[in-house]
Amino acid sequence: LAVSQREPAIELGLRTARAAVERSPDLLPDLVERFLPLGLNDSQWVSLVPATALDRLRLAALFEAHGLIESAAPVYRHALKLATPAEGPLVGWMLARLLMREGKYQGAIVELDAALKHDPDNPELDLAPGPRPWPRAEPRKPWKLTVPLSARRRRERHWDS
């Protein structure tokens, strides 16, 4: 209702939407659709969902599904701040995937390394972009540069000794 007013009462609408998401998380996709035309800022978007890492993670994933990559990254970072030790590696991995798609490979490696520190045995986290940017000749073949972090660490230890 607040969103449909001539001068939307955004804060009232966000509080109402957040309460609705707390009661029924399945409403989030529809609420995101309703708020998209309003051009919310990052803090307004995160206020749409409860202050939990998993709720923020769902919101960021919805942004990705809508192609709103610029809006997804800050929401993932908000989720990372709220994440428990068990949730942190998943959030970090999802943020790293997003950063890789944006071409921010160094940032992706930093996020994956942080996630691996918390969950070193996680097989999903054991793959990361190689140590250099993707070759310009083969930009569509990321698997050519995918190197297990454990293998990179073995090489680094070899060179350090």
Side-chain angles (χ1 to χ4, degrees):
L1 177 65
V3 176
S4 66
Q5 300 302 310
R6 201 171 264 190
E7 288 186 31
I10 301 288
E11 297 308 317
L12 173 62
L14 290 170
R15 282 193 308 270
T16 304
R18 182 180 181 146
V21 170
E22 286 174 351
R23 285 190 307 276
S24 180
D26 293 339
L27 293 174
L28 185 59
D30 184 52
L31 290 168
V32 167
E33 289 282 339
R34 291 176 186 266
F35 280 94
L36 275 175
L38 300 178
L40 301 179
N41 62 37
D42 295 339
S43 63
Q44 287 173 319
W45 276 118
V46 296
S47 73
L48 180 68
V49 295
T52 69
L54 294 179
D55 285 306
R56 304 269 166 96
L57 191 64
R58 287 183 66 224
L59 179 61
L62 281 170
F63 284 155
E64 282 193 77
H66 281 89
L68 302 170
I69 304 302
E70 302 82 30
S71 297
V75 177
Y76 279 129
R77 287 192 176 91
H78 280 279
L80 208 48
K81 290 177 189 174
L82 297 172
T84 65
E87 297 165 337
L90 171 65
V91 177
W93 177 74
M94 291 186 73
L95 176 57
R97 284 182 44 230
L98 176 76
L99 292 172
M100 282 189 276
R101 280 197 300 275
E102 288 186 304
K104 299 176 181 174
Y105 307 111
Q106 287 304 111
I109 290 172
V110 167
E111 295 301 334
L112 284 168
D113 281 340
L116 269 169
K117 285 179 186 171
H118 294 288
D119 194 0
D121 298 325
N122 188 324
E124 291 290 330
L125 298 175
D126 203 31
L127 295 178
R132 61 188 179 278
W134 304 18
R136 291 173 196 232
E138 295 185 290
R140 297 273 184 214
K141 296 188 177 184
W143 61 87
K144 296 265 183 188
L145 287 179
T146 302
V147 177
L149 283 176
S150 53
R152 271 198 1 232
R153 288 190 183 119
R154 281 193 299 274
R155 281 196 310 259
E156 290 167 1
R157 273 188 250 131
H158 173 73
W159 290 110
D160 290 340
S161 39

